[in-house]
Amino acid sequence: MKIGINALFIKTGRVGGAEQMVRAIAEGISTAIQPEDSVLLVTTPEAAPSFHHLASPQMTIMARRTFPHRTLAEPLILNRLSRLVDVWLNTNYFTPPLVRIPQATIVLDSQ
């Protein structure tokens, strides 16, 4: 399976628990990924260097700018990259509309 991880919300050191959660998920997946699977982690240019230690033949780190409005940019970016993955894991509350492949979205807390 080809899994896409949407980490486009990360502003290194300024997001807090959600950022730590994404880093923990990426670390875990990088150690558990099977040879027949692949992962594409998409994040901001600012955050990408902090994920490069996870890069491998099965895990690609890709940087994309999200313009001034992340909620407008994410559907465009994810749709463009959807040909590379089977499913998107959205890691911060937001499920981008109009993305043409299955998505799962993590909601950290609903108070």
Side-chain angles (χ1 to χ4, degrees), residues 22-24 26-28 30-31 41 47-57 59-61:
V22 172
R23 292 182 185 288
E27 290 274 350
S30 73
T31 62
L41 188 141
S50 66
F51 286 101
H52 282 184
H53 69 284
L54 300 175
S56 71
M59 188 163 198
T60 302
I61 311 303

Side-chain angles (χ1 to χ4, degrees), residues 32-45:
I33 193 167
Q34 299 298 306
E36 65 274 9
D37 297 327
S38 64
V39 175
L40 171 64
L41 188 141
V42 183
T43 191
T44 60

Side-chain angles (χ1 to χ4, degrees), residues 9-15 19 23 43-51:
F9 73 95
I10 293 181
K11 296 176 181 173
T12 304
R14 295 183 284 172
V15 181
E19 179 180 346
R23 292 182 185 288
T43 191
T44 60
E46 173 186 66
S50 66
F51 286 101

